[in-house]
Amino acid sequence: DDDFVLLIAEFLDGVDETHVYTAVRAARADSDRTRGAVGFSVVSSGSTSNRINNVRRACSSINGYILMPGEEFDYNPTLGQRTAANGYLLAAAYSGGEVVQEYGGGICQVSSTLYYCTLYANLEITSRTCHYFSVNYLPAGFDATVSWPSPDFKFVNNRNYPIKIEAYTDMNSYTVEVKIWGTDEDGSYVEMTSETWATSTGTGATTYRSVFDKDGNLKFTEDTTDSSIFADAFFSDVTY
């Protein structure tokens, strides 16, 4: 929006806001590739009314969030504790390796979609944990579970300009859509790849982030896995 464009303009000495607006909106994303400082992802949100309520509330909590250069985004305090008093409803969640009904069930779909988005936006991930089980709304290794007060999901705006999160649900297609708007600094873009394998109790996954320059030359590839072993780790807290 115009306020965000003006904010970026403050960081671009001598560049008027019309140019900034064009630069922000011209950033392109598709299912395999994201150019510039924009991340984009869409995942199914499920269809139960309680889960949809929780997902929409989580999206509302992060929608419009602006992160300045060097600042860290922290998912848990941004949403607050998931309680009935805070508007969350009972829906399916994982607890001790079982599916249970908990307040806020479904909000991991938003944290996972945001995580997927930050990978493509080439942002620095500072805290991320996988689910106890693999999820059906993202490829193995690309999810991010949360609970209160932990595990949590955090990332840093390691770019030179502000970024803005947009998050909302599409009730026609039952999807969660997250975008990260920013400034295309050098035309570089990200491609994500993964490897999966069977374990004695579940599935393992390794994910890699490859960053290319504007001409398509590979700059570097890094392992972004952290902890992506599904059903091989035990979390005593409820995860959503």
Side-chain angles (χ1 to χ4, degrees):
D1 56 28
D2 291 341
D3 288 340
F4 182 56
V5 169
L6 291 173
L7 180 62
I8 291 183
E10 294 178 4
F11 283 77
L12 299 174
D13 186 33
V15 179
D16 63 50
E17 56 265 28
T18 300
H19 176 83
V20 177
Y21 183 87
T22 302
V24 171
R25 296 302 181 187
R28 181 175 67 84
D30 57 42
S31 59
D32 298 320
R33 178 176 298 179
T34 299
R35 293 189 179 277
V38 176
F40 174 86
S41 58
V42 180
V43 301
S44 169
S45 67
S47 58
T48 67
S49 60
N50 282 13
R51 181 182 179 87
I52 290 171
N53 169 83
N54 297 337
V55 168
R56 294 181 73 177
R57 185 167 292 275
C59 283
S60 178
S61 295
I62 67 173
N63 186 46
Y65 196 105
I66 293 176
L67 204 61
M68 303 301 287
E71 287 187 344
E72 183 178 61
F73 175 87
D74 193 334
Y75 190 80
N76 266 339
T78 301
L79 267 63
Q81 190 168 2
R82 277 68 75 181
T83 63
N86 286 335
Y88 288 96
L89 302 176
L90 291 171
Y94 295 143
S95 180
E98 298 180 352
V99 178
V100 298
Q101 295 293 306
E102 291 289 340
Y103 288 102
I107 65 163
C108 280
Q109 192 136 7
V110 180
S111 59
S112 294
T113 309
L114 180 60
Y115 170 60
Y116 193 63
C117 200
T118 59
L119 290 173
Y120 276 99
N122 199 22
L123 298 172
E124 179 186 353
I125 314 301
T126 51
S127 179
R128 173 260 173 184
T129 304
C130 69
H131 282 81
Y132 188 95
F133 300 112
S134 57
V135 299
N136 61 7
Y137 48 79
L138 279 169
F142 291 102
D143 64 307
T145 191
V146 294
S147 185
W148 186 269
S150 64
D152 200 354
F153 171 57
K154 305 177 185 179
F155 67 90
V156 170
N157 177 11
N158 55 332
R159 292 180 170 271
N160 296 318
Y161 307 102
I163 59 175
K164 179 181 179 180
I165 300 171
E166 287 186 359
Y168 49 88
T169 55
D170 184 333
M171 298 312 299
N172 292 320
S173 58
Y174 291 109
T175 56
V176 175
E177 183 168 329
V178 175
K179 299 177 183 178
I180 296 179
W181 290 104
T183 301
D184 186 349
E185 299 180 34
D186 56 11
S188 62
Y189 62 91
V190 168
E191 290 184 355
M192 295 298 304
T193 56
S194 64
E195 300 174 351
T196 60
W197 63 91
T199 69
S200 59
T201 57
T203 302
T206 301
T207 57
Y208 302 95
R209 176 163 54 185
S210 297
V211 180
F212 297 82
D213 66 20
K214 62 183 178 60
D215 298 317
N217 300 308
L218 178 65
K219 298 174 67 176
F220 63 87
T221 296
E222 61 181 346
D223 187 333
T224 55
T225 303
D226 190 15
S227 56
S228 292
I229 304 294
F230 304 103
D232 278 353
F234 178 79
F235 300 115
S236 58
D237 292 331
V238 175
T239 58
Y240 305 95

